[in-house]
Amino acid sequence: MHFAEPLPLQSGAQLRDYMLMYETYGTLNADKSNAVLVCHALNASHHVAGVYADQPKNVGWWDNMVGPGKPLDTNKFFVIGVNNPGSCFGSTGPMHNNPATGKPYGAAFPVVTVEDWVNAQVRLADQLGIAQFAAVMGGSLGGMQALAWSIMYPDRLRHCMVIASTPKLSTQNIAFNDVARQAILTDPDYHGGDFYEHGVVPKNGLKVARMIGHITYLSDDSMGEKFGRKLRDAAENGGAYKFGFGVDFEIESYLRYQGDKFSTYFDANTYLLITKALDYFDPARAHGGDLAKALAGTKAEFFLASFTTNWRFSPGRSREIVDALIANRRAVTYAEIDAPHGHDAFLLEDERYMNMVRAYYDRVWKGIAA
Amino acid sequence: MTLTFEDLSSARPDLAFIAHWVQAGSHVLDVGCGDGVMMEFLQAGKQCTGYGIEIADDKVLESAQRGVRVIQQDMENGLGLFRDNSFDTVLCLSSLQMMKQVEDLLRDIVRVGKEIIVSFPNFAYWPHRVALLKGRMPVSKTLPYQWYDTPNVRCATINDFRDLADEVGLEVVECVALAEGKIVGLLPNLRGELAVFRLRKKGTAKGTAKAAS
């Protein structure tokens, strides 16, 4: 969908003349009360569920959660996935032409925040005629967007579902993000963000950024279980070390492969932008660090879930949100899932997790049916 | 479908009795809410708000399915999520005996609640005494476990709990012993299987608790 009216951004800049890619699943009911917005995290898109007819392998990033008969049941709900501006899956981003210069934005693409994304999503909701969502839901960075919705537009959602998320990044989280950004910024192929006109991609920087990010998505135990200290070419080498700086261990091979793959489809400027959006998110900041005050104007009912082995956004971070909601006497349901997979658990199949989300959507649905 | 008082009475007569003590519209914390049936009734039948706390995955799910605002948390770690005096009523029903840190939890319950309702299996119930006289650990409807698999790590009698309540700064408003969900008038510490205490902080204004009866 095309938006001609400029989007004012938190930085003071504005986004002129932009596109938002979105997908919908299910059917919007007559009184438009069954819409659910699903917000994506760092490297995902508007393609939340299902496959395209011509791309049977391109499965939506939350296909185990969203679909007919799934916890977020598209037989009941009208689900919207939207690609945020600054991303690289079709919505206006740094690889597109800047109307002011006629050249790709590159590093000149304005820095966007979680709140800016929510403002962009609100315009999409307006265009689709959805005055109030049954729920806004997201995991990780997507959860931040859901939380921001509840603060910025309290009347426009009845339920806010925040999964494996945090009210703000920790020092360590920001530190990891900056290492990733430095990997990109110092890649000679980055060309100050204007690599498009040089016909190159800062592949190495993106690869390293992805490798370090990927480590934070997994738990020590799940990595250990999957790869251990297994050697890559153990059979050929008789289990000997190679005494060099190539690939010895399986984990090296895996991360390099994942990093290479990522660098072929993800945009380096997008990676910089999205990690900055993560770093900046801190709704309590405007309230002297008091999250309870930041959430005082919320009206939604909340569902939060965390995963015990998620050391990136640990259960303690979710409990900070729960604590602030309880201080405001908000309705909140909170599940702490003892899953082994680390941060990525929110994308994976886990019976307890899926059952809790399903149970919660049953309640959301009863509110519509009543 | 809404859970009625009759449903609750037949399923859990002890909870139905205790529900009478909770004032309509109050903000309630149910510490160890189990399957959430009590909170479901208080929400639907008495327009109460509030939360249940539960640690077990299956019970948390059941509570969520009942529409209870359940917070998954180990009560053993205390009630740090909750502000001082933030609840009209704190319930701790048939859970306290499973806690290692009974005294600490009780003090935290006193901190967050204005009125407190506690129930626990009365270890001095006469069949338990008989079992002990016969040289066996008691096994009954309220203590349905063998000594080696019981989650009940703290066994107390009505008289014992009265002492602890006093020590943590609680005044007993009412204390009844229930058997089969009915009040035992005569010799409650002998004939009651479930002890139910209604308590409030010492020195808080009288009348607030009475108004609820």
Side-chain angles (χ1 to χ4, degrees), chain A residues 292 301 319 322-323 325-327 329-337 352 355-356 359 363 366, chain B residues 27 49 51 57 60-61 63-65 67-73 80-83 86-88:
Chain A
E301 292 195 29
R319 279 198 298 266
V322 172
D323 180 84
L325 291 169
I326 288 172
R329 290 199 173 194
R330 290 295 169 277
V332 48
T333 298
Y334 171 58
E336 203 166 291
I337 314 286
R352 292 157 299 180
N355 284 341
M356 279 301 290
R363 185 194 305 174
K366 274 179 196 156
Chain B
H27 197 49
T49 56
Y51 313 96
D57 290 329
V60 170
L61 179 61
S63 293
Q65 285 164 340
V68 173
R69 280 72 177 176
V70 59
I71 311 286
Q72 187 164 27
Q73 199 211 319
L81 281 171
F82 307 97
R83 308 290 194 273
S86 51
F87 294 94
D88 300 313

Side-chain angles (χ1 to χ4, degrees), chain B residues 43-108:
Chain B
Q43 284 175 188
K46 300 197 94 168
Q47 292 74 50
C48 291
T49 56
Y51 313 96
I53 301 177
E54 180 54 51
I55 181 70
D57 290 329
D58 54 338
K59 300 277 198 290
V60 170
L61 179 61
E62 269 187 84
S63 293
Q65 285 164 340
R66 290 176 182 277
V68 173
R69 280 72 177 176
V70 59
I71 311 286
Q72 187 164 27
Q73 199 211 319
D74 189 350
M75 308 178 280
E76 207 81 78
N77 297 335
L79 305 174
L81 281 171
F82 307 97
R83 308 290 194 273
D84 294 0
N85 300 309
S86 51
F87 294 94
D88 300 313
T89 306
V90 181
L91 305 173
C92 187
L93 308 180
S94 302
S95 304
L96 206 59
Q97 77 279 0
M98 299 182 196
M99 296 293 108
K100 282 195 206 100
Q101 309 293 338
V102 173
E103 191 181 334
D104 291 349
L105 179 62
L106 200 56
R107 282 184 194 281
D108 231 12

Side-chain angles (χ1 to χ4, degrees), chain A residues 91-361:
Chain A
S91 293
T92 300
M95 68 299 300
H96 294 121
N97 276 347
N98 181 348
T101 63
K103 289 197 307 178
Y105 279 103
F109 193 90
V111 171
V112 281
T113 63
V114 167
E115 287 80 0
D116 294 332
W117 286 333
V118 169
N119 284 326
Q121 292 160 5
V122 164
R123 287 189 174 182
L124 178 67
D126 290 343
Q127 290 300 312
L128 298 174
I130 295 156
Q132 188 185 56
F133 283 104
V136 177
M137 179 191 201
S140 188
L141 176 58
M144 292 177 179
Q145 292 159 56
L147 191 62
W149 265 90
S150 76
I151 297 169
M152 297 166 66
Y153 297 98
D155 292 312
R156 299 201 63 167
L157 68 166
R158 294 192 296 281
H159 294 270
C160 178
M161 302 180 64
V162 180
I163 296 168
S165 194
T166 173
K168 61 173 186 281
L169 291 202
S170 68
T171 318
Q172 189 189 47
N173 293 147
I174 296 172
F176 274 117
N177 278 350
D178 198 49
V179 174
R181 282 191 295 266
Q182 285 301 313
I184 292 168
L185 290 166
T186 58
D187 186 322
D189 284 338
Y190 181 63
H191 293 291
D194 297 325
F195 51 88
Y196 313 100
E197 55 196 72
H198 291 83
V200 290
V201 169
K203 284 195 70 160
N204 281 319
L206 257 177
K207 173 181 174 178
V208 173
R210 176 61 172 175
M211 285 171 77
I212 192 151
H214 203 115
I215 295 167
T216 70
Y217 304 150
L218 306 176
S219 70
D220 190 18
D221 283 350
S222 63
M223 269 176 118
E225 198 172 301
K226 196 164 172 189
F227 304 104
R229 292 180 55 85
K230 272 184 285 196
L231 297 173
R232 178 71 186 150
D233 303 311
E236 294 99 283
N237 291 322
Y241 291 157
K242 292 176 182 165
F243 298 101
F245 302 111
V247 169
D248 271 305
F249 295 94
E250 282 283 5
I251 184 62
E252 296 172 311
S253 166
Y254 173 79
L255 284 178
R256 289 180 195 197
Y257 172 77
Q258 292 294 333
D260 280 331
K261 200 169 87 177
F262 186 72
S263 70
T264 61
Y265 71 86
F266 208 81
D267 182 84
N269 285 311
T270 291
Y271 204 95
L272 299 175
L273 286 167
I274 296 189
T275 54
K276 265 294 168 190
L278 275 159
D279 290 2
Y280 285 156
F281 184 68
D282 183 6
R285 189 167 182 257
H287 302 270
D290 188 338
L291 187 62
K293 274 192 191 151
L295 295 170
T298 59
K299 294 182 180 171
E301 292 195 29
F302 288 80
F303 173 87
L304 284 98
S306 70
F307 301 91
T308 49
T309 54
N310 180 1
W311 57 278
R312 180 181 170 90
F313 299 154
S314 69
R317 313 311 310 279
S318 289
R319 279 198 298 266
E320 288 173 31
I321 303 172
V322 172
D323 180 84
L325 291 169
I326 288 172
N328 285 301
R329 290 199 173 194
R330 290 295 169 277
V332 48
T333 298
Y334 171 58
E336 203 166 291
I337 314 286
D338 186 16
H341 308 107
H343 186 63
D344 265 355
F346 88 88
L347 295 167
L348 300 172
E349 201 64 42
D350 181 290
E351 208 187 349
R352 292 157 299 180
Y353 166 43
M354 293 290 161
N355 284 341
M356 279 301 290
V357 175
R358 185 184 293 277
Y360 196 80
Y361 271 113

